[in-house]
Amino acid sequence: MKETYRFQHKHILGIEQLSVADILHILDTAISFKEISNRSIKKVPTLKGKTIINFFFEPSTRTRLSFEIAAKRMSADTFGITAATSSAKKGETLIDTACNLQAMNPDLIIIRHGSSGAPGLLTRHIDASIINAGDGTHQHPSQALLDMMTIREHKGSIDGLKIALIGDIAHSRVAHSNILGFTKMGADVKVAGPATFMIPHLDLLGARVCSTVEEAIADADVVMALRIQKERQNDPLIPSLREYARFYGINRSRLKHAKPDALIMHPGPINRGVEMDPDVADGKGSVILEQVTNGVAVRMALLYLVLGQEGGRAE
Ligand code: CP
C-alpha cells in the first residue's frame, strides 16, 4: 500500500532537517501559491486568525518583507519588531524576549539573528513554530528553497546540474544552506573564492573546492555569486575589493566558461562591480529578481505547511 506523504515539521531551522520529499513538496506548494501574487486581489483566507511575528535582529530587505507579504497574502495577522526597537536594546535576553512574545500567544515567530543557533535555542523555550530567517553564519533555509524553486522553474530539475558558488563561502549562511540543498537534490556543487573565505571539510557538505573561479564555473548550469559578509569579519580577509573583483568577480569574460544558457544568481544584496559586474547582474541569464519573486511564494508555502494547514501536522 502506498504511504501518503505528510509534511511533519513544526519548525524550519536548516536544510538538513528536510528530506528530498519535503523539499519537493515545499517547492510544489510554492508553485501552486505563486499565481496568487499575480491576481488583482492578492489575498486568500488560508491563514486567517493566525498570528505571525517577524523578529529581525539584523537588517533585511528581501527576507523580512517577503515573509510579511507572504503572511498578509494568506490573511494572517503579522507584527514586526527589530532589535533596535525592542527591549533587547535595554538588555533583555533573547530567551526572555521570546518568552514574552510567547505570552502573547503567536502561532509562528520568524527570526533573523546574528548568532548561529539562536532560532534552534528558541524552539526549546517557546511553543510557537519558529522559522529561521538567517542565523549568523549557520543557515538561511528559506533562501535555499527559493533558489531551488528558481532553478527548477528554468531547468526542470536540480538533479544532475552543475552549480558553482563563488565568493565568501565561510561567512555565508546562504552558501551553507544551498550546498546542503543542492547536493541533497542531486547537483554537482563546486565552490571557489579566496582561501580566507573557505572552511575546512567543505567536501563533507558535498561541495568540491576549486582553486580558480574558471575551474568552478566550467560547464556550469548555474553560477551563483555570494556577497562578502563584512559584518561577520573582524579583520579584513582580502587585500582589496579591486583585487577581489579581478580574481573572483563574475564578469562576462569568466562566464564564457559556463554553459551558454547558465543561470546567473545572487541572493542579494549585490555589491555591483565587486562580486558581480552590473552587466552580468542585469543581463542575459540573470534570474536575480525572479529569486526575489519566488521568495514570496516559497515563504507562503512554508507558513502554510509549518502551521499545519495542509491537514494536521503530527506534533
Ligand atoms: N537574501 C537576503 O537574505 O536578503 P536580505 O538580507 O535583504 O533579507
Side-chain angles (χ1 to χ4, degrees):
M1 196 171 66
K2 196 170 169 247
E3 276 195 24
T4 337
Y5 171 86
R6 270 175 75 197
F7 190 83
Q8 299 279 10
H9 303 279
K10 178 177 176 181
H11 312 291
I12 301 291
L13 303 177
I15 291 292
E16 73 287 352
Q17 75 180 86
L18 300 173
S19 66
V20 171
D22 288 329
I23 291 173
L24 290 175
H25 189 63
I26 293 167
L27 301 187
D28 287 343
T29 308
I31 287 167
S32 74
F33 285 153
K34 190 172 173 179
E35 62 85 21
I36 295 167
S37 294
N38 296 327
R39 295 180 189 173
S40 58
I41 296 177
K42 303 172 180 59
K43 214 171 185 65
V44 291
T46 317
L47 297 183
K48 199 168 168 51
K50 298 290 180 188
T51 303
I52 296 177
I53 296 176
N54 258 323
F55 195 11
F56 275 60
F57 280 79
E58 286 191 331
S60 168
T61 297
R62 283 147 287 266
T63 312
R64 183 175 171 186
L65 208 52
S66 60
F67 265 119
E68 189 157 343
I69 289 172
K72 283 190 175 4
R73 288 198 177 151
M74 303 189 88
S75 302
D77 296 315
T78 66
F79 305 88
I81 55 169
T82 63
T85 57
S86 77
S87 287
K89 193 88 177 155
K90 301 178 202 160
E92 189 169 53
T93 67
L94 175 63
I95 292 170
D96 276 343
T97 303
C99 289
N100 279 271
L101 296 183
Q102 179 62 51
M104 297 179 225
N105 205 18
D107 298 287
L108 170 63
I109 297 176
I110 297 155
I111 178 167
R112 170 169 287 190
H113 200 279
S115 298
S116 300
L121 178 69
L122 294 195
T123 63
R124 297 201 286 277
H125 293 270
I126 63 176
D127 293 332
S129 286
I130 300 284
I131 295 183
N132 176 6
D135 62 331
T137 60
H138 174 228
Q139 286 212 39
H140 191 349
S142 63
Q143 177 71 42
L145 290 162
L146 73 88
D147 290 340
M148 287 191 257
M149 175 175 177
T150 308
I151 295 171
R152 203 162 162 244
E153 278 186 333
H154 282 270
K155 302 290 181 190
S157 165
I158 295 161
D159 191 15
L161 294 183
K162 292 184 173 146
I163 303 182
L165 300 181
I166 310 299
D168 187 357
I169 306 295
H171 307 95
S172 170
R173 51 200 178 203
V174 175
H176 302 155
S177 287
N178 267 334
I179 290 170
L180 287 170
F182 293 157
T183 54
K184 190 174 281 214
M185 300 308 285
D188 172 20
V189 179
K190 291 183 184 155
V191 301
T196 45
F197 285 173
M198 294 295 134
I199 46 174
H201 305 305
L202 269 168
D203 53 321
L204 294 181
L205 291 183
R208 193 138 35 106
V209 181
C210 299
S211 47
T212 63
V213 174
E214 288 76 5
E215 186 190 342
I217 67 178
D219 208 28
D221 299 283
V222 177
V223 177
M224 181 182 290
L226 298 163
R227 184 174 66 85
I228 300 171
Q229 308 267 308
K230 280 197 228 120
E231 68 273 30
R232 302 190 207 292
Q233 299 167 24
N234 295 326
D235 299 309
L237 294 175
I238 50 168
S240 73
L241 292 181
R242 201 160 65 155
E243 192 168 333
Y244 181 86
R246 185 163 159 231
F247 288 104
Y248 302 102
I250 303 299
N251 54 37
R252 281 287 156 213
S253 165
R254 285 212 162 94
L255 277 177
K256 288 190 183 127
H257 294 270
K259 290 210 173 98
D261 62 348
L263 300 181
I264 310 302
M265 302 182 76
H266 193 301
I270 305 174
N271 292 306
R272 288 171 177 263
V274 179
E275 68 260 11
M276 185 177 276
D277 278 2
D279 67 319
V280 172
D282 303 328
K284 176 177 167 278
S286 172
V287 292
I288 292 169
L289 293 178
E290 288 179 44
Q291 290 172 259
V292 180
T293 300
N294 285 338
V296 175
V298 155
R299 287 164 179 139
M300 286 170 87
L302 287 176
L303 302 181
Y304 172 75
L305 293 169
V306 163
L307 289 172
Q309 295 309 101
E310 199 175 33
R313 181 194 58 233
E315 295 293 331

